[in-house]
Every structure is written in structure tokens, then in C-alpha cells.
Amino acid sequence: MIFFRSFASCTVCMLGAVFALLSAPLFASEKAGRFNLIPAPAHVRASSGSFEITAQTRVFVTAGNDTAKRVAEHFVDALNRVTGFELFVAFFEARPQPANSIAFVLSNRKAFGEEGYTLSITKKRVVISASGAHGLFYGVQTLLQLLPAEAFGDPVLDVRWKMPCVEIEDQPRFRWRGMHLDVSRHFFPKEFIKRYIDLIAMHKMNVFHWDLTNDNGWRIEVKKHPKLTEVCAWRVDREQQHWLRRDPPREDEKATYGGFYTQEEVKEILAYAAERFVTVLPAIELPGHTSEVFAAYPELSCRGEKLPVQVGSYWPNVDIFCAGNDSVFTFIDDVLTEIAALFPNQYIHIGGDEADKTRWRACAKCQARMKQEGLQNEHELQSYFIKRVEKMLSAKGKKLIGWDEILEGGLAPEATVMSWRGAEGGIAAAQQGHDAVMSPVSHCYFDYYQANPQFEPEAIGGYTTLKKVYSYEPLPQELTPEEAKHILGAQGNVWTEYIATPQHAEYMSVPRMSALAEVVWSPKEGRNWKDFQQRLPAHFRRFDAMRVNYSKGSFTVAVQTGLVTNKRQMRVQLESEQPHAEIRYTLDGSAPTMQSPLYRKPFVLNRTATIHAAICGDEKMQEEVTRQEVSVHRALGAKVSYAVPPSAKYFGGRELGLVDGLRGNLQARNETLWQGFEGEDAEVTIDLGKPSAVAKLSATFGQQRAWWIFLPSFVEYFISNDGKNFESVAKVEHEVSVDQEGALIHDFTTTLAAPKHCRYVRMKAKSLGVCPPGHPGAGGKAWVFVDEIAVD
Ligand code: ACM
Ligand code: ZN
């Protein structure tokens, strides 16, 4: 997992039983498309006509329930604010419900669970019904989306507040529908936290994972240990420098960047979240990602060394709590006592990720602890640490949740696992009878690029488009139905190394949050990307009204290619996530204009070309032009075999990945393209199928030092006719330094003096094996990343 670690360098009171979907729909669901609801409700039936809210509309709520009344008032307040009406909520005594009224009804029907609701809109009246206030609240969210988008914005006069007549029955698929925010790498003010909670709630999500501590700053007041906020919440300001290359702080410099939330502010946020049925999950990192604590309390680390609060990237994460020192556990208990008292929900997140064990291995106290407890290795010491913390939490009536590393060395008895490095952690937890929340980097990390990195603000890496998020399925196929009940739901994570402002945090979070909301709320059978795309423009109008800085990045062109079987040809398809987009393109290297060919359907390329494509809108081309080189060569689609297979994590394109005509780039670590070899040489043999004339050989490699990826020291090419006896035909070296920063791509190309006939071509790339001296990972396994191997 070195790759993840090095570049993702981080980096509830829940209902009882797993939510069971109704076994049969009460009535056939229409496509949500017509109503532009996100997330799509479980069942929708349209009828004709509309209901109009006017200054005379009356609002009722079932008598005697104050929580339900507050939900109705939440709706009425929102409406009055934009409409200028003076509606109010009255208890509902008399029946039948009068005309021109909206009623919030608490019913005894439990069919839709605590979060489900029904909504009936006829020309005369509106009825929202649920078994509790939580369901009514989601009915309100739907109601607001059925109104014109202006309902989400500033006061307006000339809008008629009409809603289409419809019957809706709705309930969530999963009970954990979360969004995370890291407030340590960058601090976000209280007002933004509330706005983030608003976004969560409008998407019918219900968990806000508030990541309050990490190496770059401690962000919550702890009364017993005031230096945590006096000292550990502040760092020397290096905001003008790149996150990975910040000058270390000097002794004489004042720490001025940072901030924290007082306990009073936390209470205010908790009350705000509770009104919106959002559970706040506090996260306090341990045993790693704690170096900021040692700025004030160095005695809690293995070496007792006072450290500055980190100004930027801190990797590897070596300075962690000492596991052999009992005062560490006393300190943690003090902190968790105050956290447990403050946060009403059942869970506390304790991190548990990425703790490097270097210091533990060298620490006499940690080693003594291992001996005394009979622990075989440092993973077991970590497990001991987490189990001890779990006991503390249980004593306070709380449950422990942590990142999937808490599985290493043995899971604490009651722990819930948040699966981030893939689905494996969640699968293992569920198979062991533990609950899990799915949040894999592949689909749920919203600090990753969401569109072509050429046009995006710098992100930590990756490539997770809106469509990819939408395609996510939280329930792993590996699980039996019984085990699957342990998958509580899923969560989107927003780590903020590269996100310094609220506007940027919004940009990275939405609309991917909208896609994930549908994944976790809507029935799986009804999920439909095309339909979601149709609904998105209306949802964007809501964001516009709210002045949310949502990303339109997905509105660039994506190039999809496919090999034409047994031919030296590529089929090219151009796509955009924008419905009905007009795409224009060129193949001659020039920028597309309004005169360039209009893309109508997939086409075939029989030569190497660079595709440029862009969307045109409002009679002009949009600025973002997608560029993709497509290499058409003799080995396209050929059979490839490996001396040692690539890492399972980086096996882009599987067996076809190296001969698919596409090159990866390392700005977006496009997993669909690269193949990675960890600490090993890459040796690949290509079978051209029949003897062919070969004149030119080329292989593309990447270097991204920060991610532990280095060019091979050389590449050697061999040819053969029988696949057994190989003749070396060229050895290609290079002059790129291992110290060169940033992403670079290098072709190792050779042109043979005269073409040679052969059926097999072998490429052998000599890996550095380990990261070179002076690199943060010196001695650790280095990666070789290769993509296309072209034969001509
Ligand atoms: C993580 O991203 N380190 C949980
Ligand atoms: Zn120690």
C-alpha cells in the first residue's frame, strides 16, 4: 500500500436493524427524470396538474409532536424567506384537511422505517406522512426540490410556487450515508461547517464525519489539555508554497495559520446538525497522525522530542503515540472523556490509519510492552493499542470505528471498520461479523481529480469522475446475504491537503456528493446514469440559487477507445457527462473550432493520431479541450505475458493494458492505464500472433518521485521466433535524475538498423528495486510504472 500511503498521505447514532427494502413496490416507479429529484425516490407516480403555494396556504402538523412541528417550521421558514409569505405552522385538529393546505402527518405505519416518508401532492392539498420527524424531514427535502429552484436562493417576487401533482413513497437503501471533511490540513470556519451540513441534509445523507485532528493541526478544545488548542492548533504559515515542498518552520517563526472549534461552537454545530437529522461523527486520530500533539506534549511520543506542528506533507507518519507509556492512555482517556460528553452519537472515530511503526521498533518502552503482553509484532501492538482505546470508549457508552488498518494484528471485539484502501477491509470485517462502512479510494475519495487534470485545480491525484462515483456499488459480491447486513452504507471523503478554502471544498464535494447520495439512498434496481444526467441540470440550478461552487468539470469530453478485433485499428468514442452536449474534434493536432467535425457516432482510426475534442455551447467552443494520443501499432490487442505479474492494485487494462493504444499520464494516476511493479523488474513478452517485420520498439514509463515511482535504469528489447530463444536487439538508457520532481513521462524507443522478422517481442525494464538514498522512502520498495508498448 506504499503507493496509497505516499500520495494519500493523510490523509452515529444509527438505527438498529439493517434497513430492508420493501419486498414488492407498492406501485410501479416512474423514472425520476421528470421531477429532477436527487436522490431519486424509491417509488414515484405522477398525475396531472399542480399545487400552488400562496400567501393563503395553511400548514398543519399532527398535534402534540414538537420535533415534527420543528420540521414543518424548518420548511415554512425556508419558504417564507424566499417568498416573503408569512406562513405559520398550526397543530392539525380538524379533519378533513382543508383545501390549499400542507399537512405533516405522523402515522403509525412503520413500513417505511424511521427515515422513510410518503408524499402526496394533489391540486388541492399536500400531505407528507412518516412514522417520525426524521422521515418528515426527508419529505420536506423532496418537497423543496419539487418547487422552482429559486426556493433554494434569495428572496424573489415573480415566481409562482407550483409543485407537480405526484405520489411518492420513499425510504433509504442504506442507513449510513456519510460525508467526511478533514479540517486539520486546512481549517474551515464554523459557518462553512454548517453549509456543508446543509448540503449533506439536502441530499438526504445523514452522517458528517468531522476529522478534527491530524499532523497539521488539532482543531477541538479539550479543557483538561488547553495546550492542544493554544499550541497544537497553529502552524507556521506556508500557504504560498506547494503542499509537498514547504520549507520547514524555523525556531523564531510565529505559528499563525490554523484555528479550532471551542466546545461552545461544537455544541452550536451539533444543534444545527440535529435539526437536519445529520449525525456528527467526531474523529480523533491515533496512534498515528498525531505529531501535532508533540508540539505541546512531546513526552507522549516514543522519543520525547518536541516537534513543530507540520506545515505541509508529513510522510512517512513516524512520530506516533508511544504504546509503551501508560500516560499516553491517560491522556487519550482525558480527551475521549470530553469528546464523549460533547457528542451525543454512539460512534467515535479513532483513525488508526497509516501509523508507521519505525519508532515503536526502536523504543524500549514499546518493546517492553510487547514482551509483557506477549505480542508477536508491531501490528499486534497496534491492535493492543486500539483494543485498549475501545475499552475506554465502551466505559463511556460509545462504540469505536476506525480505518481498515485496525484489522491488522486483530480487530477489537466490537469495532466497526471504515474500508478505505479498497473493499477488502469491509469484506474482512463483515466476514468476521463486524459492521463496516465502505469508503474506498477508488470511488469515494473526493479529493481526487474529477475531470481532466489539464483543466482542474491541482488535486492529490487519482481520477474519480461523477460517473465513476455514480457507478459505485457498496455491497461487495463476495459477501453472503447474512454478511452483507454488516455493510452499513458508504461515505465520501474530503481530505484537504490540496483544498484550502470553503469554495474549493464545495467544488470537490459537489456534485460527486449528489451521485453518492443516490448510490446510498435510491434502490439499486432503479439506478440509471442517463436518467441521473437528465436530472442534473435542474439540481445545478438549485446549487446556483444557493451559490454553491459546484464543479462543472465533468462537462469536458472523455475519449473512450476500443480495439477492432484482429485489425490495426481503434474504435474511438467521445463522451461527455453533460446530456445533449455537442462535441467537435480534430485529428491533426489543431484545437477544435466551430468548423471542426461534429462528433455524431464512434469512428475508426487506422493510424496514430492525437485527438483534440471539446464541447460547444452558446454558439462557441468551451475552453477545455481534451487531448488524447492514440497510438495505432502492430502489437495492438496482442497476447501479453509477464515474468512477474503487475501488482493487483495497478494492473490497468489487465492483459490488454500495455497494447491498448493509450498512454497514461501521471497527473491523473489513471488506474485504467498504468501497470505497476513494486520492487521488481517489469518483463513483458508480446506474441504478435505470426512472424512480422519489426523496425521500431517503444515503451512508455512514468516517474513521480512523490509517489515512489521511478523510471527503470534501462530497458532492453529482445526478439524471438519460437518464444523460447530470445535475441537481445537493443538496450535503451536515459538521463533523467531520480531527484527530478513532478510527474514525467519517458519513452524508451529504439529503431532497429534493419527491420527484423519475429513473432515474439520481449521488453525488460530494470527497476531501481528500492527508493534511492535521500528519498523519504529510501530503502523501501520502488515502483516501476509502464504503459503502452508499441511495435512497428
Ligand atoms: C486515509 O485516507 N488515510 C484514511
Ligand atoms: Zn514507544
Side-chain angles (χ1 to χ4, degrees):
M1 300 315 302
I2 279 165
F3 197 98
F4 280 137
R5 294 195 330 222
S6 48
F7 101 102
S9 80
C10 340
T11 73
V12 215
C13 157
M14 288 289 147
L15 307 178
V18 162
F19 209 103
L21 276 175
L22 289 179
S23 47
L26 295 183
F27 43 72
S29 189
E30 297 187 17
K31 283 241 186 316
R34 189 175 146 194
F35 300 98
N36 298 319
L37 297 170
I38 292 180
H43 306 288
V44 177
R45 186 173 58 195
S47 48
S48 61
S50 60
F51 176 90
E52 182 171 0
I53 303 179
T54 65
Q56 285 72 45
T57 301
R58 292 198 282 165
V59 182
F60 298 105
V61 61
T62 303
N65 187 306
D66 285 337
T67 330
K69 182 153 185 271
R70 272 208 301 287
V71 171
E73 282 166 352
H74 179 87
F75 172 68
V76 161
D77 290 347
L79 206 62
N80 286 345
R81 196 178 51 77
V82 289
T83 59
F85 298 160
E86 293 176 351
L87 309 187
F88 59 92
V89 180
F91 279 131
F92 183 49
E93 315 275 5
R95 284 180 190 271
Q97 182 185 338
N100 191 13
S101 71
I102 301 173
F104 290 80
V105 179
L106 287 175
S107 82
N108 294 326
R109 274 180 68 197
K110 301 281 182 224
F112 301 103
E114 286 199 30
E115 296 188 296
Y117 65 94
T118 64
L119 171 62
S120 163
I121 302 178
T122 62
K123 290 175 195 159
K124 289 235 165 70
R125 49 186 73 80
V126 174
V127 184
I128 306 170
S129 165
S131 67
H134 199 160
L136 291 182
F137 181 79
Y138 291 142
V140 167
Q141 301 318 306
T142 300
L143 208 53
L144 288 170
Q145 290 196 4
L146 289 168
L147 285 167
E150 286 85 350
F152 290 82
D154 296 332
V156 278
L157 287 177
D158 51 354
V159 171
R160 294 187 63 178
W161 302 100
K162 285 185 172 185
M163 299 181 281
C165 293
V166 66
E167 305 286 326
I168 290 176
E169 294 177 345
D170 200 9
Q171 61 184 16
R173 179 172 173 214
F174 290 102
R175 62 194 163 112
W176 187 302
R177 305 181 301 278
M179 281 299 302
H180 154 280
L181 184 69
D182 160 17
V183 296
S184 172
R185 272 50 180 275
H186 284 98
F187 179 68
F188 294 85
K190 182 180 73 177
E191 292 67 34
F192 178 68
I193 302 299
K194 290 185 180 173
R195 190 168 159 91
Y196 198 67
I197 289 169
D198 285 340
L199 286 168
I200 291 172
M202 83 177 268
H203 286 97
K204 302 190 176 87
M205 296 175 97
N206 63 356
V207 179
F208 168 45
H209 176 164
W210 199 4
D211 221 314
L212 290 160
T213 73
N214 215 301
D215 301 294
N216 303 96
W218 182 282
R219 305 275 177 238
I220 184 166
E221 179 187 23
V222 176
K223 293 191 194 288
K224 190 152 183 193
H225 298 289
K227 282 192 282 182
L228 282 173
T229 44
E230 286 164 19
V231 176
C232 310
W234 304 95
R235 67 184 188 233
V236 168
D237 189 343
R238 293 276 188 267
E239 290 305 296
Q240 298 314 312
Q241 297 179 344
H242 191 278
W243 182 260
L244 295 177
R245 294 182 286 279
R246 293 188 168 178
D247 296 332
R250 295 186 309 268
E251 283 273 337
D252 61 337
E253 279 182 294
K254 254 197 140 61
T256 54
Y257 179 91
F260 63 93
Y261 311 96
T262 64
Q263 293 200 359
E264 282 312 303
E265 288 172 323
V266 170
K267 285 180 196 159
E268 184 185 325
I269 285 166
L270 288 171
Y272 189 88
E275 293 266 307
R276 287 153 185 80
F277 298 88
V278 171
T279 297
V280 182
L281 170 68
I284 304 293
E285 279 278 348
L286 53 90
H289 287 305
T290 51
S291 68
E292 85 288 12
V293 173
F294 311 139
Y297 305 100
E299 65 279 10
L300 302 177
S301 70
C302 288
R303 303 202 303 182
E305 185 189 3
K306 184 170 174 330
L307 295 175
V309 176
Q310 295 298 322
V311 295
S313 175
Y314 177 59
W315 196 260
N317 184 233
V318 287
D319 289 296
I320 67 178
F321 278 135
C322 177
N325 177 351
D326 280 332
S327 54
V328 165
F329 293 94
T330 311
F331 173 86
I332 292 172
D333 196 45
D334 292 343
V335 170
L336 294 180
T337 299
E338 292 191 33
I339 298 292
L342 205 49
F343 289 83
N345 67 298
Q346 198 183 358
Y347 285 101
I348 292 179
H349 199 296
I350 54 76
D353 57 320
E354 302 182 314
D356 185 293
K357 313 298 188 305
T358 303
R359 301 281 186 259
W360 283 4
R361 282 192 285 272
C363 171
K365 281 190 245 168
C366 286
Q367 293 302 313
R369 174 85 74 198
M370 284 169 61
K371 208 156 164 211
Q372 167 203 335
E373 298 289 334
L375 306 172
Q376 299 304 310
N377 53 41
E378 284 73 20
H379 284 313
E380 290 189 9
L381 182 57
Q382 170 164 301
S383 169
Y384 161 86
F385 197 111
I386 304 287
K387 284 176 183 155
R388 213 166 144 175
V389 172
E390 180 176 72
K391 283 209 187 93
M392 287 176 201
L393 288 178
S394 309
K396 302 177 207 312
K398 299 290 182 184
K399 286 184 74 169
L400 180 146
I401 181 166
W403 299 113
D404 54 47
E405 286 92 332
I406 65 171
L407 282 152
E408 293 162 1
L411 204 47
E414 305 290 331
T416 298
V417 170
M418 199 170 261
S419 192
W420 76 278
R421 291 178 295 180
E424 295 86 347
I427 294 169
Q431 287 173 340
Q432 292 173 34
H434 287 250
D435 287 345
V437 175
M438 306 306 279
S439 193
V441 280
S442 57
H443 294 79
C444 296
Y445 269 47
F446 299 168
D447 54 342
Y448 279 16
Y449 283 106
Q450 55 195 313
N452 191 337
Q454 244 180 304
F455 318 114
E456 289 294 296
E458 187 177 6
I460 198 160
Y463 194 55
T464 302
T465 61
L466 186 65
K467 188 174 182 182
K468 183 160 185 192
V469 176
Y470 195 80
S471 74
Y472 182 52
E473 172 46 42
L475 285 187
Q477 285 174 348
E478 289 86 342
L479 298 181
T480 65
E482 231 8 73
E483 290 163 349
K485 289 182 184 167
H486 288 292
I487 305 296
L488 304 182
Q491 179 177 294
N493 294 339
V494 182
W495 300 100
T496 60
E497 287 93 335
Y498 290 77
I499 303 173
T501 64
Q503 291 72 25
H504 193 182
E506 285 180 2
Y507 182 85
M508 300 305 278
S509 307
V510 276
R512 286 186 286 193
M513 184 194 296
S514 317
L516 186 63
E518 192 145 311
V519 169
V520 287
W521 178 280
S522 307
K524 183 182 175 192
E525 323 68 76
R527 221 190 309 152
N528 180 317
W529 166 249
K530 285 237 146 58
D531 187 60
F532 178 77
Q533 268 183 309
Q534 303 290 341
R535 284 176 276 135
L536 209 49
H539 205 52
F540 283 178
R541 288 195 289 278
R542 294 170 196 135
F543 291 147
D544 284 331
M546 294 166 76
R547 297 204 180 84
V548 170
N549 183 33
Y550 60 94
S551 167
K552 303 168 192 80
S554 57
F555 285 7
T556 51
V557 179
V559 180
Q560 310 284 353
T561 56
L563 300 171
V564 181
T565 320
N566 298 328
K567 288 200 187 144
R568 272 184 70 192
Q569 288 182 338
M570 294 278 275
R571 185 173 171 276
V572 178
Q573 184 172 342
L574 306 180
E575 281 184 355
S576 150
E577 295 186 356
Q578 186 173 15
H580 317 304
E582 266 191 16
I583 299 172
R584 290 185 187 272
Y585 69 99
T586 65
L587 298 175
D588 61 2
S590 66
T593 67
M594 292 298 287
Q595 282 68 50
S596 303
L598 180 67
Y599 174 79
R600 293 183 195 279
K601 61 178 199 304
F603 57 88
V604 166
L605 266 184
N606 50 19
R607 61 182 168 85
T608 295
T610 302
I611 300 168
H612 285 90
I615 291 173
C616 47
D618 300 333
E619 305 295 308
K620 61 179 189 323
M621 298 306 296
Q622 289 191 1
E623 280 165 29
E624 290 96 351
V625 180
T626 298
R627 181 177 184 277
Q628 175 71 55
E629 284 169 51
V630 177
S631 164
V632 176
H633 56 85
R634 186 162 300 282
L636 279 184
K639 188 167 177 295
V640 170
S641 55
Y642 300 87
V644 180
S647 151
K649 290 278 175 203
Y650 301 103
F651 194 9
R654 318 294 302 176
E655 283 73 13
L656 273 184
L658 297 179
V659 288
D660 62 0
L662 299 175
R663 292 202 325 180
N665 73 59
L666 283 170
Q667 265 90 33
R669 183 181 48 87
N670 197 333
E671 285 155 358
T672 61
L673 299 179
W674 288 105
Q675 300 199 346
F677 296 81
E678 189 181 14
E680 315 238 30
D681 297 343
E683 186 181 318
V684 180
T685 305
I686 296 173
D687 178 358
L688 298 172
K690 57 176 194 256
S692 311
V694 170
K696 189 174 162 195
L697 296 160
S698 182
T700 306
F701 288 80
Q703 177 162 303
Q704 174 61 289
R705 191 182 142 80
W707 301 344
W708 304 29
I709 305 169
F710 296 91
L711 293 181
S713 36
F714 63 85
V715 169
E716 190 166 2
Y717 293 103
F718 305 82
I719 58 172
S720 164
N721 273 315
D722 59 6
K724 293 192 184 83
N725 303 299
F726 280 84
E727 169 198 353
S728 171
V729 289
K731 184 172 167 186
V732 187
E733 296 180 331
H734 69 94
E735 293 186 344
V736 177
S737 161
V738 291
D739 294 326
Q740 182 148 337
E741 297 278 359
L744 72 92
I745 304 285
H746 189 84
D747 290 331
F748 291 74
T749 303
T750 184
T751 305
L752 305 182
K756 298 222 176 213
H757 269 266
C758 65
R759 173 168 166 181
Y760 299 90
V761 172
R762 177 170 289 170
M763 185 243 24
K764 190 167 177 183
K766 186 74 191 155
S767 168
L768 298 190
V770 293
C771 298
H775 184 269
K781 285 183 185 170
W783 288 87
V784 165
F785 261 44
V786 58
D787 187 13
E788 196 69 3
I789 303 179
V791 178
D792 277 303

